[in-house]
Amino acid sequence: MSKIKPSKGAPYARILGVGGYRPIRVVPNEVILETIDSSDEWIRSRSGIVTRHWASDEETVAMMSIEASGKAIADAGITPEQIGAVIVSTVSHFKQTPAVATEIAHKIGAGKPAAFDISAGCAGFGYGLTLAKGMIVEGSAEHVLVIGVERLSDLTDLEDRATAFLFGDGAGAVVVGPSQEPAIGPTVWGSEGDKSETIKQTVSWNELHIGDVSKLPLDSKGEIKFPAITQEGQSVFRWAVYEMAKVAQQALDAAGISPEDLDVFIPHQANMRIIDSMVKTLKLPEHVTVARDIESTGNTSAASIPLAMERLLATGQAKSGDTALVIGFGAGLVYAATVVTLP
């Protein structure tokens, strides 16, 4: 018989508050067209993107996260000292160690919470949300701060016609806390590593460190390009449209929710055509509000879902207590989908 005392957590978990931060600089498609042979019409038709936000030197991963976190904590009605864990999902924090989560936890005044980073690309927010839910139900934390943050402008090849227009910067954060009723459904998540080459970093940090020019990509001036994100657009599009609609349906089924029961759909803001195709495949009723934040924010990877959630609530397109399906998918290829009650 085990001598270990069983843990005691809350019966369920819920999102208590949400916050977002978008960099001050707004970048229209015209700026992107300075370095690629394309048109505003082509970019809009291919992605739905009209503008995106790019961070200044001062708008670091930590700074944007701190701003978003402060709003989420205030929205949740708690104090920073009540945060028991900080989870940061990002692929654009360029220090391997320490985790940026520790810096954020300190600067928001959270005391001594558990703090760590995860790398799950565009599914990172869903991964973090699932970890937070587990902590609260298990009893290792009462309130968990989950942050999705990216400075993808640092990983954008402005000469790559397939990706130069896609990426933006920003941070979104939620506070997850105890609940007396189910408010975060079962997570349907996974990975398909056999497709990992479809979205990847062009050059590894090690290759850049070695500096063998014969093996490194060069820009139009003959200079070594900084590592960037590249993708096989058509392969990613087909996977997202056909496979992720199945995952979204599985998340609805796992939560015991039908499309008619939904109020809001918040998919990863990867591409407007992907979003519209998923809505059609899932046969979502017209009353379901669909997040289309990509139009003015671009693809912000791990930050896209909480940023879209924050905007829907702030503009009144969604309201507290609404039932929302969220799904993230991207590099890896990884994915995570769940049904939540909005804060």
Side-chain angles (χ1 to χ4, degrees):
M1 185 175 180
S2 176
K3 298 179 180 179
I4 299 174
K5 182 180 179 180
S7 58
K8 289 185 178 181
Y12 306 104
R14 69 183 305 117
I15 300 174
L16 299 175
V18 61
Y21 180 85
R22 292 171 173 81
I24 294 172
R25 184 187 177 193
V26 177
V27 180
N29 289 337
E30 285 73 20
V31 172
I32 307 300
L33 296 175
E34 294 174 4
T35 52
I36 61 171
D37 180 17
S38 188
S39 68
D40 177 60
E41 180 183 3
W42 187 88
I43 293 173
R44 293 188 189 215
S45 64
R46 296 281 293 186
S47 67
I49 299 172
V50 178
T51 61
R52 74 284 291 146
H53 295 255
W54 282 357
S56 65
D57 291 343
E58 292 74 27
E59 292 169 315
T60 63
V61 165
M63 176 271 187
M64 293 190 293
S65 298
I66 291 165
E67 290 293 322
S69 298
K71 295 175 184 177
I73 291 168
D75 192 44
I78 65 169
T79 64
E81 292 83 3
Q82 290 176 269
I83 298 294
V86 177
I87 303 171
V88 177
S89 178
T90 185
V91 299
S92 48
H93 175 58
F94 292 158
K95 286 185 179 179
Q96 191 70 39
T97 192
V100 71
T102 58
E103 177 185 350
I104 295 165
H106 170 66
K107 289 185 176 178
I108 65 172
K112 299 180 180 180
F116 58 95
D117 299 349
I118 60 174
S119 177
C122 305
F125 176 74
Y127 275 49
L129 187 64
T130 303
L131 294 173
K133 172 187 173 183
M135 291 179 182
I136 290 159
V137 173
E138 186 270 340
S140 58
E142 186 174 7
H143 297 93
V144 180
L145 180 63
V146 180
I147 302 165
V149 57
E150 301 292 4
R151 273 181 54 119
L152 294 182
S153 58
D154 292 335
L155 287 169
T156 298
D157 180 355
L158 293 177
E159 296 181 347
D160 182 354
R161 188 172 183 270
T163 61
F165 58 90
L166 285 175
F167 303 119
D169 303 336
V174 298
V175 172
V176 183
S179 175
Q180 293 303 307
E181 60 182 17
I184 301 175
T187 300
V188 177
W189 57 353
S191 64
E192 298 184 32
D194 59 311
K195 300 179 179 66
S196 61
E197 291 295 300
T198 57
I199 306 176
K200 63 182 180 180
Q201 186 171 304
T202 52
V203 178
S204 73
W205 301 119
N206 188 54
E207 289 173 312
L208 187 68
H209 174 68
I210 294 171
D212 185 347
V213 177
S214 65
K215 296 180 180 180
L216 297 174
L218 305 178
D219 63 20
S220 57
K221 299 178 181 178
E223 298 177 351
I224 295 174
K225 287 186 177 182
F226 191 74
I229 298 172
T230 186
Q231 67 175 23
E232 297 174 11
Q234 288 302 314
S235 297
V236 173
F237 181 86
R238 288 193 296 269
W239 176 78
V241 168
Y242 298 110
E243 297 303 321
M244 291 305 96
K246 297 176 185 176
V247 171
Q249 184 60 58
Q250 289 170 13
L252 288 174
D253 294 341
I257 297 293
S258 70
E260 289 72 25
D261 296 324
L262 274 182
D263 300 304
V264 184
F265 178 42
I266 311 177
H268 164 49
Q269 303 294 291
N271 181 299
M272 194 75 81
R273 291 192 300 153
I274 292 174
I275 294 171
D276 291 339
S277 296
M278 291 182 71
V279 169
K280 184 177 179 180
T281 302
L282 289 167
K283 298 179 180 179
L284 296 184
E286 289 188 6
H287 75 262
V288 175
T289 297
V290 180
R292 291 187 170 88
D293 192 43
I294 188 170
E295 180 179 16
S296 59
T297 306
N299 180 341
T300 55
S301 188
S304 79
I305 290 176
L307 276 175
M309 182 185 295
E310 185 264 349
R311 175 161 280 172
L312 288 176
L313 289 165
T315 58
Q317 297 176 72
K319 63 183 185 301
S320 176
D322 279 353
T323 300
L325 168 64
V326 299
I327 178 170
F329 45 86
L333 294 170
V334 295
Y335 54 88
T338 188
V339 176
V340 303
T341 300
L342 294 183

